[in-house]
Amino acid sequence: MRSLTLVVLGIVLGILIWSNPTMQAFQQSFGERITQQIQGTQDDGWLERQAARLGGALAAENIDRFTTRRSYLIASTYTVDLDGDKTPELRALGIFGRFFTLDEQS
């Protein structure tokens, strides 16, 4: 029974390590989030949707300049400080290939 537990724990640990999101995955997720936020503040016209997609793409392309990633092997934290004042606008946890907001400044 003990060896089965160790095998299961090893498999879970392996999955956690394998699914720890990268900075590239965070960039993509952040871009999608920005796109959704922009679309939520505008009408649903074609031009507005295209502008939102462009804004999200530009934000995603440059977010790594303002983001600190700390990897803990099984998960990572992402701290976004857009204005460089040492007060992060966003902190997120990446685990199992997903991102969860820990703290967000409006």
Side-chain angles (χ1 to χ4, degrees), residues 20-36 52-69 76-80 82 90 92-94 97-99:
N20 185 4
T22 64
M23 178 61 90
Q24 184 177 6
F26 180 73
Q27 285 177 289
Q28 181 179 356
S29 175
F30 186 81
E32 291 168 2
R33 179 182 178 152
I34 293 297
T35 299
Q36 290 172 355
R53 287 186 187 127
L54 178 61
L58 288 172
E61 186 174 313
N62 293 297
I63 195 61
D64 62 332
R65 297 178 186 168
F66 307 102
T67 303
T68 303
R69 176 183 186 257
S76 295
T77 58
Y78 299 82
T79 305
V80 179
L82 296 173
L90 174 71
L93 172 70
R98 307 237 10 226
F99 296 97

Side-chain angles (χ1 to χ4, degrees), residues 31-49:
E32 291 168 2
R33 179 182 178 152
I34 293 297
T35 299
Q36 290 172 355
Q37 287 180 347
I38 293 171
Q39 285 178 337
T41 62
Q42 299 183 7
D43 295 330
D44 284 335
W46 180 85
L47 185 59
E48 288 83 6
R49 286 193 308 272

